[in-house]
Amino acid sequence: MDRLANTVRPYAWGSTTALPELLGTAPTGEPQAEMWLGAHPGAPSRIDRGAGPVSLAEVIDAAPEAELGADAVRAFGPRLPFLLKLLAAGSPLSLQVHPDRAQAAEGFADEERRGIPIDAGHRNYKDANHKPELIVALTLFDGLCGFRHPAQAADLLEGLGVDDLKPYVDILRASPEEDALREVLTAVLSAEHHAIAGTVERAAVAADQLAAQGGPHADAYAAYAVLAHHYPGDPGVLAAMLLNHVQLQPGEALFLGAGIPHAYLGGLGVELMANSDNVLRCGLTPKHVDVPELLRVVRFEAGDAAVLRPEDVNGEEVYETPIDEFRLSRFVAAPGAAPHALPSRTPQILLCTAGTVRLREAEGEAEAGDGDGAGLALAPGESVFVPAGERITLAGDGTLFRATVVA
């Protein structure tokens, strides 16, 4: 196994304190949004096998079957198919959706044919892959996920007492669910900015007042008021009011499949996703919003947000999703407990998020570690890459997340 050196991305929405507190480092005063763990070309992790640091992507490229195993290469190709992150949101991220695999392949091929540069600001598709993702809360985590039932969204908008919102309320009450959501989202995102900005501001003021008064929608109104503070006049604030507001407790998770509109508002979490950059934005961003393409990808399906909790499988707490490219699980090691053997058929990234976890190569193999023969200890924020076929046991007093594939 190889200890990973990982890159922290300083996106503007990042928290200035959450990652430093986890990593035990001094805050720099600058936002620290995401720490990437994996072989994504944008910021691959680095390992050192004795000849100096080298990109994990280069190591895998040089010998994919040795690193990933024949089963994973056969199923997903000669690349690590997932990207693991520590995500620390200090302010809201953009409201967005991700395409399914067929939509991504079609969109990518179309933009390639039209000669749109891969780094162009108006480019939608960076690759031909889908981007399902899973977020597990490490702290209280605030987000938006999926459409509310139109009747609930109508109640929320009507409660603001803003006359400009009445046409949307009427549509949400009168039309079939899918048609209502499509019509209102299209109207909001297609409106002239100067015409919609005043409505957004009046809705934000009302939401702030209603949040202070309490009541059944107080938390949601407070969240929308925060969005409006960060993105004044942005039509994405009204789009967000169509979505479920979710507060995850530590250990709870959300799975975000293709076409599901979502946004992260605040908190620290472990995120695992397919290895893709494809994002279509609905708002809450100065970046490009392609409304027609967005409407092609969004799934106008209403329902309560499905909060995931891990299921115990022989001591491994698994977050079940319908995706084969990634599988996330959690181990909570207790002092004095027998070492737990990890499955070895697939490549793994192991990330400690609390306490201390000690890893050893299984009995009968040479011990891994820092040369002291005692194994390798991980503190919060530290991680390793384990090639397929390498047998590892864990013990200690801490929490370890395991990212791998289903193969």
Side-chain angles (χ1 to χ4, degrees):
M1 57 185 159
D2 303 282
R3 188 183 290 273
L4 295 177
N6 303 304
T7 298
V8 174
R9 309 304 292 265
Y11 304 135
W13 49 262
S15 169
T16 59
T17 58
L19 275 180
E21 286 176 2
L22 179 72
L23 300 172
T25 59
T28 64
E30 299 298 319
Q32 298 184 43
E34 295 179 346
M35 186 170 78
W36 288 23
L37 301 87
H40 191 285
S45 301
R46 298 170 302 284
I47 66 174
D48 188 344
R49 292 181 174 174
V54 62
S55 158
L56 179 60
E58 294 177 10
V59 171
I60 292 172
D61 286 346
E65 285 205 7
E67 303 297 335
L68 305 178
D71 290 343
V73 172
R74 190 178 307 112
F76 311 113
R79 303 287 184 271
L80 190 67
F82 62 80
L83 174 64
L84 183 65
K85 297 181 181 180
L86 277 170
L87 183 146
S91 59
L93 284 68
S94 62
L95 186 60
Q96 58 189 253
V97 297
H98 306 302
D100 63 26
R101 189 180 280 108
Q103 291 164 338
E106 181 182 347
F108 180 76
D110 175 64
E111 291 184 332
E112 288 288 279
R113 281 193 302 268
R114 289 190 283 141
I116 300 176
I118 199 71
D119 57 352
H122 64 290
R123 175 121 187 185
N124 293 314
Y125 297 96
K126 307 296 186 183
D127 53 69
N129 198 16
H130 66 164
K131 192 190 177 188
E133 58 191 43
L134 176 72
I135 184 77
V136 178
L138 295 180
T139 65
L140 186 66
F141 197 94
D142 225 18
L144 305 172
C145 179
F147 287 107
R148 294 176 180 271
H149 289 287
Q152 296 173 353
D155 289 343
L156 195 77
L157 293 177
E158 190 171 44
L160 293 169
V162 176
D163 289 343
D164 295 348
L165 297 177
K166 188 176 186 306
Y168 304 142
V169 172
D170 292 343
I171 294 169
L172 291 168
R173 294 204 190 284
S175 302
E177 285 199 346
E178 182 175 331
D179 294 342
L181 293 169
R182 181 183 293 276
E183 188 172 349
V184 172
L185 184 65
T186 302
V188 166
L189 297 183
S190 302
E192 292 291 336
H193 181 75
H194 72 275
I196 199 84
T199 302
V200 173
E201 290 304 309
R202 287 187 286 277
V205 170
D208 196 35
Q209 294 171 346
L210 289 167
Q213 294 172 14
H217 298 306
D219 287 345
Y221 282 136
Y224 300 133
V226 169
L227 292 179
H229 171 75
H230 286 283
Y231 299 99
D234 192 315
V237 175
L238 297 183
M241 292 183 181
L242 301 175
L243 306 186
N244 295 297
H245 174 239
V246 184
Q247 289 185 316
L248 299 179
Q249 298 297 319
E252 294 181 334
L254 288 174
F255 171 71
L256 303 160
I260 305 301
H262 61 277
Y264 301 146
L265 307 184
L268 177 66
V270 173
E271 186 180 34
L272 184 60
M273 63 185 63
N275 206 351
S276 171
D277 277 338
N278 288 325
V279 175
L280 289 151
R281 296 175 177 84
C282 314
L284 310 180
T285 177
K287 295 182 179 180
H288 176 61
V289 177
D290 184 336
V291 175
E293 185 64 15
L294 172 73
L295 296 174
R296 187 179 80 90
V297 168
V298 170
R299 294 183 180 177
F300 291 94
E301 299 171 354
D304 297 335
V307 175
L308 293 179
R309 296 171 182 84
E311 299 179 10
D312 187 274
V313 181
N314 299 321
E316 181 180 16
E317 299 178 345
V318 180
Y319 292 90
E320 294 287 355
T321 73
I323 300 300
D324 288 342
E325 286 101 320
F326 62 71
R327 179 179 186 269
L328 187 66
S329 59
R330 183 180 67 174
F331 294 90
V332 180
H340 191 106
L342 302 182
S344 61
R345 288 182 57 246
T346 55
Q348 308 172 63
I349 291 180
L350 308 178
L351 167 67
C352 178
T353 59
T356 301
V357 177
R358 184 168 294 280
L359 305 175
R360 292 179 183 269
E361 291 189 6
E363 186 176 351
E365 299 180 2
E367 288 189 334
D370 299 326
D372 60 3
L376 192 156
L378 297 184
E382 294 183 335
S383 57
V384 298
F385 171 70
V386 183
E390 197 165 308
R391 295 181 294 151
I392 300 295
T393 63
L394 71 88
D397 183 11
T399 301
L400 184 85
F401 281 86
R402 174 179 180 255
T404 186
V405 300
V406 179

